[in-house]
Amino acid sequence: MRHQDSKTNEKVHTDFRDRMTYGEYLDLDKLLSSQERLSNHHDEMLFIIIHQVSELWMKLTLHELREAINAIRKDDLQEAFKMLARVSNIQTQIIQGWDVLSTLTPAEYIQFRDELGQASGFQSYQYRMIEFALGYKTPHVLKIYEKNTALHEELEKAYKSPGLYDVAIEKLAEAGFSINPDLIGRDYTEIYHGDKSVETAWTKVYRNVDLYWDLYQLAEKLVDIEDRFQQWRFRHMKTVERIIGHKAGTGGSSGVGYLKKVLDHQFFPELWNVRTNL
């Protein structure tokens, strides 16, 4: 059955007894009933929703990053560029989420903070998987997830797998650049700290853009992602500082102190050094 709106003259479906609705397709009953406050404080709803929305965006980020890594390995670079561009735009949405959360004042947050116990964003396994995909591998975080065997196995697999930059370096080697052979098929559980051969290769790419256009585009997509990731980290740190100052985090970290330390880490160091070399 279709009903004609007298104002817009649009005919819309109104009988859904045998049809799927928008709410059913998105499973909105489950989604919108997942905001269970542990306190009676009004602002806990804000706190829950911001973090749930961030987790949904991170789910999509991982979906895109995994496929981009596969596409790069298969030499489908244009397909990968589309996915990586999408990741950058997703990151912008997550960054803006901190602006909403920063409307939570210290006086409001302390009204329900104790209800969180030791639960903390530090324990976000999707965030860890994104770090793993970008090459930041920290073994101690795996212990957090030993409670869930299936999740721990999934994280361990991601921990041992090549990241986005590893497959980019493989592309440099395939293009004929003299890349340190120890980097190809290396131990991916080790944090990558840079290599002179990779820096030399990227410098040549940036000096010969027309000749290495695909590699140049790949490099810039990686820079976009790291730039936004660092913006996300900075906004996270400043929001935490604004709300709890220099208190320890609920998960046991030093809070702002820890967040400031990780700001110094570069995922793709040679792509930043090349700016100086040119």
Side-chain angles (χ1 to χ4, degrees), residues 102-162:
S102 66
T103 64
L104 181 68
T105 69
E108 292 161 348
Y109 183 46
I110 61 173
Q111 298 300 315
F112 63 86
R113 189 182 190 229
D114 287 346
E115 301 292 342
L116 304 180
Q118 280 73 56
S120 165
F122 186 84
Q123 298 145 16
S124 168
Y125 67 85
Q126 291 197 122
Y127 176 79
R128 296 303 171 191
M129 285 185 174
I130 291 172
E131 284 191 326
F132 290 173
L134 298 182
Y136 188 61
K137 308 289 184 73
T138 46
H140 66 277
V141 301
L142 291 174
K143 290 188 67 65
I144 297 171
Y145 312 100
E146 288 177 348
K147 178 179 178 179
N148 185 324
T149 303
L151 176 58
H152 188 267
E153 289 176 357
E154 186 180 352
L155 278 154
E156 197 164 33
K157 180 181 177 182
Y159 179 71
K160 295 176 179 178
S161 297

Side-chain angles (χ1 to χ4, degrees), residues 155-184:
L155 278 154
E156 197 164 33
K157 180 181 177 182
Y159 179 71
K160 295 176 179 178
S161 297
L164 183 60
Y165 201 46
D166 293 308
V167 297
I169 291 172
E170 287 177 8
K171 287 296 120 181
L172 289 172
E174 290 173 16
F177 290 102
S178 181
I179 299 298
N180 181 352
D182 292 341
L183 299 179
I184 309 302

Side-chain angles (χ1 to χ4, degrees), residues 155-223:
L155 278 154
E156 197 164 33
K157 180 181 177 182
Y159 179 71
K160 295 176 179 178
S161 297
L164 183 60
Y165 201 46
D166 293 308
V167 297
I169 291 172
E170 287 177 8
K171 287 296 120 181
L172 289 172
E174 290 173 16
F177 290 102
S178 181
I179 299 298
N180 181 352
D182 292 341
L183 299 179
I184 309 302
R186 69 185 185 88
D187 180 358
Y188 299 120
T189 67
E190 297 289 332
I191 295 177
Y192 180 78
H193 293 291
D195 188 275
K196 190 63 180 177
S197 66
V198 175
E199 185 172 325
T200 299
W202 283 127
T203 302
K204 289 180 180 177
V205 167
Y206 274 80
R207 285 179 174 158
N208 299 274
V209 172
D210 292 340
L211 184 60
Y212 300 112
W213 179 246
D214 282 350
L215 289 171
Y216 173 69
Q217 286 188 88
L218 175 58
E220 286 297 290
K221 291 290 186 291
L222 296 180
V223 170

Side-chain angles (χ1 to χ4, degrees), residues 5-258:
D5 190 304
S6 59
K7 292 184 178 180
T8 64
N9 205 33
E10 293 286 334
K11 292 182 179 180
V12 296
H13 291 287
T14 57
D15 185 356
F16 286 93
R17 284 172 292 186
D18 299 314
R19 295 187 178 98
M20 179 176 64
T21 65
Y22 170 82
E24 289 167 341
Y25 173 68
L26 295 178
D27 207 1
L28 288 182
D29 284 347
K30 183 187 297 182
L31 183 66
L32 298 179
S33 62
S34 297
Q35 295 73 45
E36 293 288 339
R37 288 181 293 167
L38 297 180
S39 73
N40 291 321
H41 197 275
H42 172 83
D43 293 307
E44 190 183 354
M45 184 64 75
L46 161 69
F47 192 81
I48 292 171
I49 288 177
I50 286 293
H51 287 86
Q52 287 184 341
V53 168
S54 293
E55 290 291 337
L56 285 172
W57 280 128
M58 284 191 276
K59 182 174 183 176
L60 184 55
T61 295
L62 284 168
H63 179 71
E64 300 297 337
L65 284 176
R66 287 165 180 155
E67 278 306 304
I69 289 171
N70 291 334
I72 292 169
R73 298 197 98 168
K74 292 185 295 185
D75 215 29
D76 294 333
L77 292 181
Q78 292 301 318
E79 185 178 350
F81 296 158
K82 175 66 180 292
M83 296 168 187
L84 295 177
R86 182 173 291 159
V87 168
S88 295
N89 281 285
I90 294 168
Q91 290 175 296
T92 299
Q93 296 299 314
I94 298 178
I95 291 167
Q96 291 175 344
W98 293 119
D99 293 336
V100 183
L101 187 59
S102 66
T103 64
L104 181 68
T105 69
E108 292 161 348
Y109 183 46
I110 61 173
Q111 298 300 315
F112 63 86
R113 189 182 190 229
D114 287 346
E115 301 292 342
L116 304 180
Q118 280 73 56
S120 165
F122 186 84
Q123 298 145 16
S124 168
Y125 67 85
Q126 291 197 122
Y127 176 79
R128 296 303 171 191
M129 285 185 174
I130 291 172
E131 284 191 326
F132 290 173
L134 298 182
Y136 188 61
K137 308 289 184 73
T138 46
H140 66 277
V141 301
L142 291 174
K143 290 188 67 65
I144 297 171
Y145 312 100
E146 288 177 348
K147 178 179 178 179
N148 185 324
T149 303
L151 176 58
H152 188 267
E153 289 176 357
E154 186 180 352
L155 278 154
E156 197 164 33
K157 180 181 177 182
Y159 179 71
K160 295 176 179 178
S161 297
L164 183 60
Y165 201 46
D166 293 308
V167 297
I169 291 172
E170 287 177 8
K171 287 296 120 181
L172 289 172
E174 290 173 16
F177 290 102
S178 181
I179 299 298
N180 181 352
D182 292 341
L183 299 179
I184 309 302
R186 69 185 185 88
D187 180 358
Y188 299 120
T189 67
E190 297 289 332
I191 295 177
Y192 180 78
H193 293 291
D195 188 275
K196 190 63 180 177
S197 66
V198 175
E199 185 172 325
T200 299
W202 283 127
T203 302
K204 289 180 180 177
V205 167
Y206 274 80
R207 285 179 174 158
N208 299 274
V209 172
D210 292 340
L211 184 60
Y212 300 112
W213 179 246
D214 282 350
L215 289 171
Y216 173 69
Q217 286 188 88
L218 175 58
E220 286 297 290
K221 291 290 186 291
L222 296 180
V223 170
D224 286 343
I225 287 173
E226 176 156 355
D227 188 350
R228 284 175 174 81
F229 199 92
Q230 293 296 61
Q231 290 180 48
W232 183 93
R233 280 177 159 172
F234 180 79
R235 289 295 296 125
H236 183 190
M237 182 269 292
K238 293 306 292 184
T239 302
V240 170
E241 186 175 28
R242 175 172 177 157
I243 296 174
I244 68 167
H246 289 265
K247 292 188 183 78
T250 50
S253 74
S254 59
V256 169
Y258 168 79

